[in-house]
Short mmCIF file of all heavy atoms in Angstrom, two decimals:
data_model
loop_
_atom_site.label_atom_id
_atom_site.label_comp_id
_atom_site.label_asym_id
_atom_site.label_seq_id
_atom_site.Cartn_x
_atom_site.Cartn_y
_atom_site.Cartn_z
N LEU O 896 -50.60 103.81 188.75
CA LEU O 896 -50.75 103.08 189.82
C LEU O 896 -49.89 101.75 189.78
O LEU O 896 -49.86 101.08 190.78
CB LEU O 896 -52.24 102.72 190.13
CG LEU O 896 -53.13 103.87 190.32
CD1 LEU O 896 -54.56 103.46 190.39
CD2 LEU O 896 -52.67 104.64 191.57
N THR O 897 -49.49 101.32 188.61
CA THR O 897 -48.73 100.06 188.44
C THR O 897 -47.43 100.29 187.52
O THR O 897 -47.40 101.47 186.93
CB THR O 897 -49.54 98.91 187.78
OG1 THR O 897 -49.69 99.28 186.41
CG2 THR O 897 -50.92 98.86 188.50
N ASP O 898 -46.69 99.26 187.55
CA ASP O 898 -45.41 99.31 186.68
C ASP O 898 -45.86 98.77 185.32
O ASP O 898 -44.89 98.68 184.40
CB ASP O 898 -44.33 98.41 187.30
CG ASP O 898 -43.72 99.07 188.47
OD1 ASP O 898 -43.96 100.36 188.57
OD2 ASP O 898 -43.02 98.58 189.26
N THR O 901 -48.58 102.58 181.20
CA THR O 901 -47.62 103.44 180.43
C THR O 901 -48.28 104.71 180.13
O THR O 901 -49.47 104.75 179.71
CB THR O 901 -47.24 102.64 179.07
OG1 THR O 901 -46.86 101.37 179.40
CG2 THR O 901 -46.08 103.37 178.43
N VAL O 902 -47.46 105.76 180.22
CA VAL O 902 -47.90 107.08 179.77
C VAL O 902 -46.98 107.57 178.61
O VAL O 902 -45.70 107.54 178.93
CB VAL O 902 -47.95 108.10 180.96
CG1 VAL O 902 -48.07 109.53 180.44
CG2 VAL O 902 -49.17 107.81 181.88
N ASP O 903 -47.49 108.20 177.69
CA ASP O 903 -46.63 109.05 176.76
C ASP O 903 -47.27 110.51 176.76
O ASP O 903 -48.49 110.53 176.42
CB ASP O 903 -46.72 108.51 175.32
CG ASP O 903 -45.87 107.18 175.12
OD1 ASP O 903 -44.54 107.52 175.06
OD2 ASP O 903 -46.35 106.21 175.11
N SER O 904 -46.51 111.41 177.10
CA SER O 904 -46.98 112.70 177.21
C SER O 904 -46.21 113.67 176.31
O SER O 904 -45.05 113.79 176.70
CB SER O 904 -47.02 113.18 178.71
OG SER O 904 -47.43 114.51 178.79
N ASN O 905 -46.71 114.23 175.41
CA ASN O 905 -45.92 115.13 174.54
C ASN O 905 -46.65 116.50 174.35
O ASN O 905 -47.29 116.66 173.39
CB ASN O 905 -45.88 114.53 173.12
CG ASN O 905 -45.38 113.06 173.15
OD1 ASN O 905 -44.51 112.66 173.87
ND2 ASN O 905 -45.89 112.18 172.35
N PRO O 906 -46.36 117.34 175.39
CA PRO O 906 -47.01 118.56 175.30
C PRO O 906 -46.03 119.57 174.37
O PRO O 906 -44.93 119.67 174.81
CB PRO O 906 -47.06 119.17 176.78
CG PRO O 906 -45.95 118.37 177.39
CD PRO O 906 -45.69 117.14 176.56
N GLN O 907 -46.65 120.21 173.44
CA GLN O 907 -45.69 120.87 172.52
C GLN O 907 -46.06 122.21 172.20
O GLN O 907 -47.32 122.56 172.19
CB GLN O 907 -45.80 120.14 171.16
CG GLN O 907 -45.60 118.64 171.28
CD GLN O 907 -45.00 117.91 170.08
OE1 GLN O 907 -45.23 118.31 168.95
NE2 GLN O 907 -44.32 116.88 170.42
N LEU O 908 -45.13 123.13 172.06
CA LEU O 908 -45.32 124.60 171.91
C LEU O 908 -44.72 124.91 170.64
O LEU O 908 -43.51 124.58 170.39
CB LEU O 908 -44.80 125.40 172.98
CG LEU O 908 -45.21 125.26 174.34
CD1 LEU O 908 -44.29 126.13 175.39
CD2 LEU O 908 -46.66 125.56 174.48
N GLU O 909 -45.36 125.55 169.78
CA GLU O 909 -44.81 126.06 168.49
C GLU O 909 -45.24 127.44 168.37
O GLU O 909 -46.34 127.83 168.04
CB GLU O 909 -45.30 125.29 167.35
CG GLU O 909 -44.62 125.39 165.92
CD GLU O 909 -45.01 124.44 164.90
OE1 GLU O 909 -45.87 123.54 165.16
OE2 GLU O 909 -44.80 124.69 163.71
N ILE O 910 -44.20 128.48 168.43
CA ILE O 910 -44.50 129.79 168.70
C ILE O 910 -43.80 130.63 167.74
O ILE O 910 -42.51 130.63 167.61
CB ILE O 910 -44.34 130.23 170.22
CG1 ILE O 910 -45.24 129.34 170.99
CG2 ILE O 910 -44.44 131.64 170.33
CD1 ILE O 910 -44.80 129.28 172.55
N TYR O 911 -44.51 131.50 166.97
CA TYR O 911 -43.87 132.37 166.02
C TYR O 911 -44.19 133.97 166.29
O TYR O 911 -43.88 134.76 165.50
CB TYR O 911 -44.42 132.04 164.66
CG TYR O 911 -44.12 130.68 164.11
CD1 TYR O 911 -44.91 129.61 164.28
CD2 TYR O 911 -42.77 130.48 163.65
CE1 TYR O 911 -44.61 128.33 163.99
CE2 TYR O 911 -42.53 129.05 163.23
CZ TYR O 911 -43.36 128.10 163.35
OH TYR O 911 -43.01 126.82 162.91
N ALA O 912 -44.75 134.16 167.50
CA ALA O 912 -45.05 135.55 167.77
C ALA O 912 -44.23 135.74 169.11
O ALA O 912 -44.04 134.98 169.97
CB ALA O 912 -46.57 135.67 168.05
N ASP O 913 -43.80 137.02 169.35
CA ASP O 913 -42.88 137.21 170.37
C ASP O 913 -43.59 137.77 171.71
O ASP O 913 -43.20 137.48 172.76
CB ASP O 913 -41.70 138.18 170.08
CG ASP O 913 -42.16 139.55 169.71
OD1 ASP O 913 -43.31 139.70 169.22
OD2 ASP O 913 -41.33 140.49 169.96
N CYS O 917 -46.75 131.92 177.13
CA CYS O 917 -47.21 130.47 176.84
C CYS O 917 -46.40 129.57 177.84
O CYS O 917 -45.22 129.76 178.12
CB CYS O 917 -46.77 129.95 175.47
SG CYS O 917 -47.63 130.74 174.15
N SER O 918 -47.00 128.53 178.45
CA SER O 918 -46.36 127.64 179.20
C SER O 918 -47.00 126.22 179.12
O SER O 918 -48.11 126.15 178.83
CB SER O 918 -46.36 128.17 180.61
OG SER O 918 -47.55 127.92 181.26
N HIS O 919 -46.24 125.26 179.36
CA HIS O 919 -46.86 123.92 179.48
C HIS O 919 -46.14 123.17 180.54
O HIS O 919 -45.05 123.43 180.93
CB HIS O 919 -46.90 123.28 178.10
CG HIS O 919 -45.59 122.81 177.55
ND1 HIS O 919 -45.44 122.49 176.29
CD2 HIS O 919 -44.26 122.68 178.17
CE1 HIS O 919 -44.11 122.22 176.11
NE2 HIS O 919 -43.46 122.27 177.23
N GLY O 920 -46.78 122.16 181.05
CA GLY O 920 -46.26 121.37 182.10
C GLY O 920 -46.71 119.99 181.93
O GLY O 920 -47.82 119.87 181.46
N SER O 921 -45.94 119.10 182.31
CA SER O 921 -46.36 117.63 182.14
C SER O 921 -45.80 116.92 183.45
O SER O 921 -44.70 117.01 183.75
CB SER O 921 -45.92 117.06 180.97
OG SER O 921 -46.33 115.72 180.94
N THR O 922 -46.58 116.15 184.02
CA THR O 922 -46.03 115.30 185.08
C THR O 922 -46.45 113.91 184.94
O THR O 922 -47.64 113.66 184.55
CB THR O 922 -46.34 115.88 186.47
OG1 THR O 922 -47.75 115.86 186.66
CG2 THR O 922 -45.79 117.22 186.87
N VAL O 923 -45.63 112.92 185.28
CA VAL O 923 -46.00 111.52 185.50
C VAL O 923 -45.51 111.09 186.66
O VAL O 923 -44.30 111.30 186.96
CB VAL O 923 -45.51 110.70 184.35
CG1 VAL O 923 -46.04 109.27 184.43
CG2 VAL O 923 -45.79 111.29 182.89
N LYS O 996 -44.64 115.26 164.63
CA LYS O 996 -43.32 114.71 164.15
C LYS O 996 -43.04 113.30 164.63
O LYS O 996 -43.73 112.81 165.48
CB LYS O 996 -42.25 115.64 164.83
CG LYS O 996 -42.31 117.18 164.51
CD LYS O 996 -42.02 117.55 163.20
CE LYS O 996 -42.01 118.96 163.03
NZ LYS O 996 -41.88 119.49 161.66
N PHE O 999 -38.16 110.29 168.56
CA PHE O 999 -36.81 110.05 168.08
C PHE O 999 -36.12 109.27 169.29
O PHE O 999 -35.16 109.79 169.88
CB PHE O 999 -36.01 111.36 167.72
CG PHE O 999 -35.85 112.26 168.89
CD1 PHE O 999 -34.61 112.92 169.01
CD2 PHE O 999 -36.83 112.56 169.87
CE1 PHE O 999 -34.35 113.89 169.99
CE2 PHE O 999 -36.58 113.48 170.89
CZ PHE O 999 -35.43 114.17 170.84
N ASP O 1000 -36.51 108.13 169.38
CA ASP O 1000 -36.00 107.24 170.53
C ASP O 1000 -34.53 106.86 170.14
O ASP O 1000 -34.25 106.69 169.02
CB ASP O 1000 -37.08 106.10 170.56
CG ASP O 1000 -37.06 105.65 172.15
OD1 ASP O 1000 -36.16 105.99 172.75
OD2 ASP O 1000 -38.00 104.89 172.34
N ARG O 1005 -29.14 98.38 170.14
CA ARG O 1005 -27.99 98.52 169.43
C ARG O 1005 -26.76 98.89 170.30
O ARG O 1005 -25.64 98.85 169.92
CB ARG O 1005 -28.02 99.56 168.29
CG ARG O 1005 -29.14 99.21 167.27
CD ARG O 1005 -29.08 100.38 166.33
NE ARG O 1005 -30.18 100.18 165.32
CZ ARG O 1005 -30.49 101.21 164.49
NH1 ARG O 1005 -29.94 102.45 164.82
NH2 ARG O 1005 -31.26 101.17 163.54
N ILE O 1006 -27.16 99.49 171.49
CA ILE O 1006 -26.07 99.93 172.34
C ILE O 1006 -25.56 98.79 173.16
O ILE O 1006 -26.13 97.96 173.61
CB ILE O 1006 -26.53 101.04 173.31
CG1 ILE O 1006 -26.94 102.25 172.41
CG2 ILE O 1006 -25.49 101.52 174.23
CD1 ILE O 1006 -27.45 103.33 173.23
N ASN O 1007 -24.16 98.67 173.23
CA ASN O 1007 -23.49 97.53 173.90
C ASN O 1007 -23.54 97.93 175.53
O ASN O 1007 -22.52 98.21 176.04
CB ASN O 1007 -22.06 97.34 173.50
CG ASN O 1007 -21.83 97.28 172.03
OD1 ASN O 1007 -22.83 96.78 171.34
ND2 ASN O 1007 -20.84 97.67 171.53
N TRP L 1029 -37.46 114.49 160.76
CA TRP L 1029 -38.49 114.90 161.84
C TRP L 1029 -38.09 116.17 162.49
O TRP L 1029 -38.92 116.77 163.14
CB TRP L 1029 -38.49 113.79 162.86
CG TRP L 1029 -37.26 113.10 163.23
CD1 TRP L 1029 -36.86 111.89 162.87
CD2 TRP L 1029 -36.28 113.72 164.20
NE1 TRP L 1029 -35.60 111.63 163.40
CE2 TRP L 1029 -35.16 112.65 164.14
CE3 TRP L 1029 -36.05 114.82 164.86
CZ2 TRP L 1029 -34.07 112.80 165.02
CZ3 TRP L 1029 -34.89 114.99 165.54
CH2 TRP L 1029 -33.87 114.04 165.68
N HIS L 1031 -37.38 120.22 163.27
CA HIS L 1031 -38.04 121.41 162.97
C HIS L 1031 -37.00 122.30 162.16
O HIS L 1031 -36.66 123.45 162.68
CB HIS L 1031 -38.54 121.99 164.15
CG HIS L 1031 -39.63 123.17 163.76
ND1 HIS L 1031 -40.98 122.95 163.82
CD2 HIS L 1031 -39.49 124.48 163.33
CE1 HIS L 1031 -41.64 124.12 163.44
NE2 HIS L 1031 -40.80 124.96 163.13
N SER L 1130 -19.67 101.85 171.04
CA SER L 1130 -20.44 101.14 172.03
C SER L 1130 -21.48 102.06 172.61
O SER L 1130 -22.57 101.50 173.16
CB SER L 1130 -19.58 100.77 173.25
OG SER L 1130 -19.06 101.77 173.96
N ASN L 1135 -24.98 102.43 163.02
CA ASN L 1135 -26.18 102.70 162.32
C ASN L 1135 -27.25 103.37 163.26
O ASN L 1135 -28.38 103.33 163.03
CB ASN L 1135 -26.65 101.37 161.78
CG ASN L 1135 -26.98 100.37 162.85
OD1 ASN L 1135 -26.49 100.55 164.00
ND2 ASN L 1135 -27.78 99.44 162.68
N ASP L 1136 -26.72 104.12 164.22
CA ASP L 1136 -27.67 104.84 165.14
C ASP L 1136 -28.49 105.73 164.40
O ASP L 1136 -29.76 105.83 164.49
CB ASP L 1136 -26.85 105.58 166.13
CG ASP L 1136 -27.73 106.29 167.26
OD1 ASP L 1136 -28.25 105.45 168.09
OD2 ASP L 1136 -27.87 107.43 167.02
N LEU L 1334 -36.43 113.92 174.99
CA LEU L 1334 -37.08 112.59 175.34
C LEU L 1334 -36.65 112.18 176.75
O LEU L 1334 -35.54 112.21 177.09
CB LEU L 1334 -36.64 111.56 174.32
CG LEU L 1334 -37.04 110.09 174.68
CD1 LEU L 1334 -38.56 109.93 174.59
CD2 LEU L 1334 -36.40 109.08 173.87
N LYS L 1336 -37.29 108.91 179.13
CA LYS L 1336 -37.88 107.61 179.03
C LYS L 1336 -37.51 106.79 180.31
O LYS L 1336 -36.41 106.86 180.68
CB LYS L 1336 -37.36 106.88 177.84
CG LYS L 1336 -37.88 105.47 177.62
CD LYS L 1336 -37.54 104.90 176.37
CE LYS L 1336 -38.17 103.49 176.12
NZ LYS L 1336 -38.08 103.23 174.60
N LYS L 1339 -39.65 100.05 182.95
CA LYS L 1339 -40.27 99.37 184.20
C LYS L 1339 -39.17 99.09 185.25
O LYS L 1339 -39.49 99.33 186.41
CB LYS L 1339 -40.80 98.04 183.72
CG LYS L 1339 -42.14 98.13 183.02
CD LYS L 1339 -42.70 96.75 182.89
CE LYS L 1339 -43.70 96.72 181.67
NZ LYS L 1339 -44.28 97.94 181.19
N LEU L 1354 -38.21 135.18 173.24
CA LEU L 1354 -38.20 135.59 171.86
C LEU L 1354 -37.79 137.05 171.80
O LEU L 1354 -38.32 137.81 172.63
CB LEU L 1354 -39.75 135.43 171.39
CG LEU L 1354 -40.00 133.99 171.17
CD1 LEU L 1354 -41.54 133.86 171.46
CD2 LEU L 1354 -39.90 133.75 169.74
N GLY L 1356 -37.96 139.74 169.07
CA GLY L 1356 -38.43 140.07 167.80
C GLY L 1356 -39.64 139.29 167.34
O GLY L 1356 -39.83 138.22 167.83
N ASP L 1357 -40.33 139.77 166.27
CA ASP L 1357 -41.62 138.98 166.11
C ASP L 1357 -41.56 138.29 164.70
O ASP L 1357 -42.50 137.90 164.15
CB ASP L 1357 -42.89 140.07 165.99
CG ASP L 1357 -42.49 141.14 164.95
OD1 ASP L 1357 -41.35 141.11 164.28
OD2 ASP L 1357 -43.27 142.00 164.93
N GLY L 1360 -39.10 132.17 165.72
CA GLY L 1360 -39.99 131.14 166.31
C GLY L 1360 -39.23 130.39 167.46
O GLY L 1360 -38.01 130.28 167.52
N ALA L 1361 -39.97 130.03 168.43
CA ALA L 1361 -39.48 129.24 169.55
C ALA L 1361 -40.39 128.09 169.89
O ALA L 1361 -41.67 128.22 170.05
CB ALA L 1361 -39.51 130.13 170.81
N HIS L 1362 -39.80 126.87 169.82
CA HIS L 1362 -40.74 125.68 169.94
C HIS L 1362 -40.22 124.65 170.89
O HIS L 1362 -39.03 124.61 171.22
CB HIS L 1362 -40.79 125.04 168.49
CG HIS L 1362 -40.89 126.00 167.29
ND1 HIS L 1362 -41.96 126.91 167.30
CD2 HIS L 1362 -39.92 126.37 166.47
CE1 HIS L 1362 -41.72 127.65 166.21
NE2 HIS L 1362 -40.55 127.41 165.75
N THR L 1363 -41.24 124.00 171.51
CA THR L 1363 -40.85 123.04 172.63
C THR L 1363 -41.54 121.73 172.25
O THR L 1363 -42.75 121.67 172.18
CB THR L 1363 -41.26 123.46 173.86
OG1 THR L 1363 -41.01 124.90 173.95
CG2 THR L 1363 -40.65 122.76 175.01
N PHE L 1364 -40.71 120.67 172.09
CA PHE L 1364 -41.25 119.31 171.70
C PHE L 1364 -40.67 118.22 172.66
O PHE L 1364 -39.81 117.54 172.41
CB PHE L 1364 -40.89 118.83 170.29
CG PHE L 1364 -41.27 119.96 169.22
CD1 PHE L 1364 -40.35 120.73 168.62
CD2 PHE L 1364 -42.66 120.05 168.86
CE1 PHE L 1364 -40.71 121.63 167.56
CE2 PHE L 1364 -42.97 121.00 167.92
CZ PHE L 1364 -42.03 121.71 167.21
N PRO L 1365 -41.24 118.12 173.87
CA PRO L 1365 -40.81 117.17 174.82
C PRO L 1365 -41.58 115.89 174.57
O PRO L 1365 -42.74 115.93 174.15
CB PRO L 1365 -41.12 117.70 176.12
CG PRO L 1365 -42.39 118.63 175.92
CD PRO L 1365 -42.29 119.05 174.42
N TYR L 1366 -40.93 114.72 174.69
CA TYR L 1366 -41.53 113.51 174.64
C TYR L 1366 -41.28 112.88 176.01
O TYR L 1366 -40.16 112.76 176.32
CB TYR L 1366 -40.92 112.59 173.54
CG TYR L 1366 -41.07 113.26 172.16
CD1 TYR L 1366 -40.31 114.22 171.70
CD2 TYR L 1366 -42.16 112.87 171.33
CE1 TYR L 1366 -40.34 114.76 170.46
CE2 TYR L 1366 -42.15 113.33 170.07
CZ TYR L 1366 -41.45 114.31 169.64
OH TYR L 1366 -41.52 114.92 168.49
N ILE L 1367 -42.43 112.37 176.59
CA ILE L 1367 -42.20 111.73 177.97
C ILE L 1367 -42.83 110.24 177.97
O ILE L 1367 -44.04 110.15 177.45
CB ILE L 1367 -42.97 112.61 179.10
CG1 ILE L 1367 -42.25 113.90 179.17
CG2 ILE L 1367 -42.95 111.88 180.40
CD1 ILE L 1367 -43.16 115.02 179.84
N HIS L 1368 -42.09 109.26 178.29
CA HIS L 1368 -42.49 108.03 178.21
C HIS L 1368 -42.26 107.33 179.46
O HIS L 1368 -41.07 107.28 179.91
CB HIS L 1368 -41.88 107.21 177.11
CG HIS L 1368 -42.28 105.94 176.94
ND1 HIS L 1368 -43.38 105.43 176.15
CD2 HIS L 1368 -41.80 104.65 177.51
CE1 HIS L 1368 -43.60 104.10 176.34
NE2 HIS L 1368 -42.60 103.67 177.15
N ASN L 1369 -43.26 106.99 180.28
CA ASN L 1369 -42.99 106.41 181.57
C ASN L 1369 -43.70 105.14 181.80
O ASN L 1369 -44.97 105.00 181.56
CB ASN L 1369 -43.46 107.51 182.67
CG ASN L 1369 -43.07 106.95 184.07
OD1 ASN L 1369 -42.64 105.83 184.24
ND2 ASN L 1369 -43.20 107.88 185.02
N GLU L 1370 -42.96 104.01 182.21
CA GLU L 1370 -43.66 102.78 182.31
C GLU L 1370 -43.62 102.36 183.82
O GLU L 1370 -43.71 101.12 184.12
CB GLU L 1370 -42.88 101.61 181.56
CG GLU L 1370 -42.85 101.97 179.99
CD GLU L 1370 -41.86 101.06 179.28
OE1 GLU L 1370 -41.40 100.17 179.97
OE2 GLU L 1370 -41.92 101.16 178.13
N LYS L 1372 -44.43 103.11 188.02
CA LYS L 1372 -45.31 103.87 188.90
C LYS L 1372 -44.43 104.52 189.96
O LYS L 1372 -44.91 105.51 190.42
CB LYS L 1372 -46.30 102.94 189.54
CG LYS L 1372 -45.66 101.95 190.66
CD LYS L 1372 -46.66 101.43 191.58
CE LYS L 1372 -46.07 100.47 192.38
NZ LYS L 1372 -46.92 99.83 193.51
N ILE L 1375 -40.86 109.50 188.69
CA ILE L 1375 -41.57 110.87 188.51
C ILE L 1375 -40.94 111.62 187.42
O ILE L 1375 -39.73 111.78 187.42
CB ILE L 1375 -41.49 111.67 189.92
CG1 ILE L 1375 -42.31 110.89 190.97
CG2 ILE L 1375 -42.13 112.92 189.73
CD1 ILE L 1375 -42.28 111.39 192.33
N VAL L 1376 -41.82 112.08 186.53
CA VAL L 1376 -41.18 112.93 185.48
C VAL L 1376 -41.96 114.21 185.59
O VAL L 1376 -43.17 114.29 185.73
CB VAL L 1376 -41.53 112.40 184.21
CG1 VAL L 1376 -40.93 113.32 183.05
CG2 VAL L 1376 -40.98 110.97 184.06
N HIS L 1378 -42.20 118.06 183.77
CA HIS L 1378 -41.59 118.99 182.70
C HIS L 1378 -42.33 120.32 182.88
O HIS L 1378 -43.54 120.32 182.95
CB HIS L 1378 -42.08 118.41 181.35
CG HIS L 1378 -41.71 119.25 180.25
ND1 HIS L 1378 -40.60 118.97 179.52
CD2 HIS L 1378 -42.49 120.39 179.65
CE1 HIS L 1378 -40.52 119.91 178.49
NE2 HIS L 1378 -41.75 120.70 178.57
N ALA L 1380 -42.28 124.32 180.98
CA ALA L 1380 -41.73 125.15 179.97
C ALA L 1380 -42.53 126.47 179.88
O ALA L 1380 -43.76 126.56 180.11
CB ALA L 1380 -41.93 124.54 178.61
N THR L 1381 -41.82 127.55 179.57
CA THR L 1381 -42.49 128.82 179.39
C THR L 1381 -41.81 129.51 178.23
O THR L 1381 -40.69 129.25 177.84
CB THR L 1381 -42.16 129.78 180.51
OG1 THR L 1381 -40.76 130.07 180.71
CG2 THR L 1381 -42.78 129.27 181.91
N THR L 1382 -42.56 130.36 177.51
CA THR L 1382 -42.12 131.12 176.42
C THR L 1382 -42.48 132.63 176.72
O THR L 1382 -43.58 132.93 177.16
CB THR L 1382 -42.76 130.79 175.09
OG1 THR L 1382 -42.41 129.29 174.94
CG2 THR L 1382 -42.32 131.53 174.03
#
Side-chain angles (χ1 to χ4, degrees):
Chain O
L896 299 177
T897 73
D898 285 343
T901 310
V902 167
D903 281 286
S904 178
N905 310 322
Q907 315 202 329
L908 302 174
E909 193 177 347
I910 295 163
Y911 298 94
D913 64 331
C917 294
S918 75
H919 67 197
S921 176
T922 56
V923 184
K996 309 283 186 187
F999 68 137
D1000 211 341
R1005 290 181 187 162
I1006 297 176
N1007 304 331
Chain L
W1029 41 258
H1031 196 96
S1130 72
N1135 57 344
D1136 184 80
L1334 169 71
K1336 181 170 180 167
K1339 283 188 206 332
L1354 287 145
D1357 56 5
H1362 320 297
T1363 316
F1364 304 107
Y1366 300 81
I1367 296 164
H1368 179 89
N1369 189 348
E1370 305 174 353
K1372 71 164 177 180
I1375 297 175
V1376 186
H1378 174 99
T1381 59
T1382 301

